[in-house]
PDB file of all heavy atoms in Angstrom:
ATOM      1  N   LYS A 318      69.681  69.261 153.409  1.00  0.00           N
ATOM      2  CA  LYS A 318      68.461  68.940 154.154  1.00  0.00           C
ATOM      3  C   LYS A 318      67.941  70.120 154.966  1.00  0.00           C
ATOM      4  O   LYS A 318      67.490  69.979 156.110  1.00  0.00           O
ATOM      5  CB  LYS A 318      68.692  67.736 155.077  1.00  0.00           C
ATOM      6  CG  LYS A 318      69.134  66.460 154.356  1.00  0.00           C
ATOM      7  CD  LYS A 318      68.039  65.914 153.445  1.00  0.00           C
ATOM      8  CE  LYS A 318      68.411  64.563 152.856  1.00  0.00           C
ATOM      9  NZ  LYS A 318      69.529  64.640 151.887  1.00  0.00           N
ATOM     10  N   VAL A 319      67.951  71.302 154.381  1.00  0.00           N
ATOM     11  CA  VAL A 319      67.366  72.476 155.029  1.00  0.00           C
ATOM     12  C   VAL A 319      65.875  72.515 154.673  1.00  0.00           C
ATOM     13  O   VAL A 319      65.524  72.479 153.486  1.00  0.00           O
ATOM     14  CB  VAL A 319      68.063  73.769 154.568  1.00  0.00           C
ATOM     15  CG1 VAL A 319      67.352  74.988 155.129  1.00  0.00           C
ATOM     16  CG2 VAL A 319      69.525  73.757 155.012  1.00  0.00           C
ATOM     17  N   PRO A 320      64.980  72.572 155.663  1.00  0.00           N
ATOM     18  CA  PRO A 320      63.538  72.505 155.387  1.00  0.00           C
ATOM     19  C   PRO A 320      62.993  73.821 154.825  1.00  0.00           C
ATOM     20  O   PRO A 320      62.187  74.511 155.464  1.00  0.00           O
ATOM     21  CB  PRO A 320      62.948  72.175 156.763  1.00  0.00           C
ATOM     22  CG  PRO A 320      63.897  72.794 157.729  1.00  0.00           C
ATOM     23  CD  PRO A 320      65.260  72.652 157.107  1.00  0.00           C
ATOM     24  N   PHE A 321      63.405  74.136 153.620  1.00  0.00           N
ATOM     25  CA  PHE A 321      63.011  75.419 153.050  1.00  0.00           C
ATOM     26  C   PHE A 321      61.518  75.463 152.750  1.00  0.00           C
ATOM     27  O   PHE A 321      60.903  76.531 152.764  1.00  0.00           O
ATOM     28  CB  PHE A 321      63.817  75.702 151.779  1.00  0.00           C
ATOM     29  CG  PHE A 321      64.014  77.167 151.526  1.00  0.00           C
ATOM     30  CD1 PHE A 321      64.978  77.881 152.228  1.00  0.00           C
ATOM     31  CD2 PHE A 321      63.218  77.865 150.628  1.00  0.00           C
ATOM     32  CE1 PHE A 321      65.151  79.238 152.026  1.00  0.00           C
ATOM     33  CE2 PHE A 321      63.391  79.220 150.417  1.00  0.00           C
ATOM     34  CZ  PHE A 321      64.359  79.907 151.121  1.00  0.00           C
ATOM     35  N   GLY A 322      60.928  74.306 152.500  1.00  0.00           N
ATOM     36  CA  GLY A 322      59.486  74.261 152.290  1.00  0.00           C
ATOM     37  C   GLY A 322      58.724  74.739 153.520  1.00  0.00           C
ATOM     38  O   GLY A 322      57.692  75.415 153.408  1.00  0.00           O
ATOM     39  N   ALA A 323      59.239  74.404 154.700  1.00  0.00           N
ATOM     40  CA  ALA A 323      58.610  74.881 155.942  1.00  0.00           C
ATOM     41  C   ALA A 323      58.720  76.393 156.053  1.00  0.00           C
ATOM     42  O   ALA A 323      57.770  77.076 156.458  1.00  0.00           O
ATOM     43  CB  ALA A 323      59.256  74.204 157.146  1.00  0.00           C
ATOM     44  N   ALA A 324      59.902  76.940 155.695  1.00  0.00           N
ATOM     45  CA  ALA A 324      60.083  78.394 155.743  1.00  0.00           C
ATOM     46  C   ALA A 324      59.106  79.086 154.796  1.00  0.00           C
ATOM     47  O   ALA A 324      58.493  80.101 155.139  1.00  0.00           O
ATOM     48  CB  ALA A 324      61.524  78.756 155.382  1.00  0.00           C
ATOM     49  N   PHE A 325      58.954  78.522 153.594  1.00  0.00           N
ATOM     50  CA  PHE A 325      58.025  79.102 152.619  1.00  0.00           C
ATOM     51  C   PHE A 325      56.586  78.963 153.090  1.00  0.00           C
ATOM     52  O   PHE A 325      55.809  79.927 153.064  1.00  0.00           O
ATOM     53  CB  PHE A 325      58.206  78.411 151.265  1.00  0.00           C
ATOM     54  CG  PHE A 325      57.247  78.894 150.219  1.00  0.00           C
ATOM     55  CD1 PHE A 325      57.511  80.045 149.500  1.00  0.00           C
ATOM     56  CD2 PHE A 325      56.058  78.210 149.973  1.00  0.00           C
ATOM     57  CE1 PHE A 325      56.614  80.502 148.535  1.00  0.00           C
ATOM     58  CE2 PHE A 325      55.161  78.665 149.020  1.00  0.00           C
ATOM     59  CZ  PHE A 325      55.436  79.816 148.297  1.00  0.00           C
ATOM     60  N   GLY A 326      56.237  77.762 153.549  1.00  0.00           N
ATOM     61  CA  GLY A 326      54.861  77.508 153.952  1.00  0.00           C
ATOM     62  C   GLY A 326      54.407  78.365 155.115  1.00  0.00           C
ATOM     63  O   GLY A 326      53.235  78.750 155.195  1.00  0.00           O
ATOM     64  N   LYS A 327      55.321  78.674 156.023  1.00  0.00           N
ATOM     65  CA  LYS A 327      54.966  79.480 157.193  1.00  0.00           C
ATOM     66  C   LYS A 327      55.157  80.972 156.955  1.00  0.00           C
ATOM     67  O   LYS A 327      54.831  81.780 157.831  1.00  0.00           O
ATOM     68  CB  LYS A 327      55.810  79.060 158.395  1.00  0.00           C
ATOM     69  CG  LYS A 327      55.523  77.651 158.880  1.00  0.00           C
ATOM     70  CD  LYS A 327      56.018  77.412 160.298  1.00  0.00           C
ATOM     71  CE  LYS A 327      57.501  77.487 160.443  1.00  0.00           C
ATOM     72  NZ  LYS A 327      57.952  77.226 161.822  1.00  0.00           N
ATOM     73  N   GLY A 328      55.697  81.348 155.816  1.00  0.00           N
ATOM     74  CA  GLY A 328      55.930  82.763 155.548  1.00  0.00           C
ATOM     75  C   GLY A 328      56.983  83.356 156.467  1.00  0.00           C
ATOM     76  O   GLY A 328      56.850  84.483 156.963  1.00  0.00           O
ATOM     77  N   VAL A 329      58.055  82.602 156.699  1.00  0.00           N
ATOM     78  CA  VAL A 329      59.109  83.054 157.613  1.00  0.00           C
ATOM     79  C   VAL A 329      59.959  84.129 156.945  1.00  0.00           C
ATOM     80  O   VAL A 329      60.376  84.004 155.791  1.00  0.00           O
ATOM     81  CB  VAL A 329      60.001  81.866 158.037  1.00  0.00           C
ATOM     82  CG1 VAL A 329      61.187  82.350 158.882  1.00  0.00           C
ATOM     83  CG2 VAL A 329      59.185  80.832 158.808  1.00  0.00           C
ATOM     84  N   ASN A 330      60.197  85.200 157.660  1.00  0.00           N
ATOM     85  CA  ASN A 330      61.127  86.238 157.211  1.00  0.00           C
ATOM     86  C   ASN A 330      62.530  85.871 157.673  1.00  0.00           C
ATOM     87  O   ASN A 330      62.714  85.440 158.815  1.00  0.00           O
ATOM     88  CB  ASN A 330      60.744  87.596 157.816  1.00  0.00           C
ATOM     89  CG  ASN A 330      59.326  87.979 157.476  1.00  0.00           C
ATOM     90  OD1 ASN A 330      59.016  88.302 156.344  1.00  0.00           O
ATOM     91  ND2 ASN A 330      58.451  87.941 158.474  1.00  0.00           N
TER      92      ASN A 330
END
Side-chain angles (χ1 to χ4, degrees):
K318 301 294 187 292
V319 174
F321 209 79
F325 177 83
K327 294 198 295 181
V329 174
N330 303 289

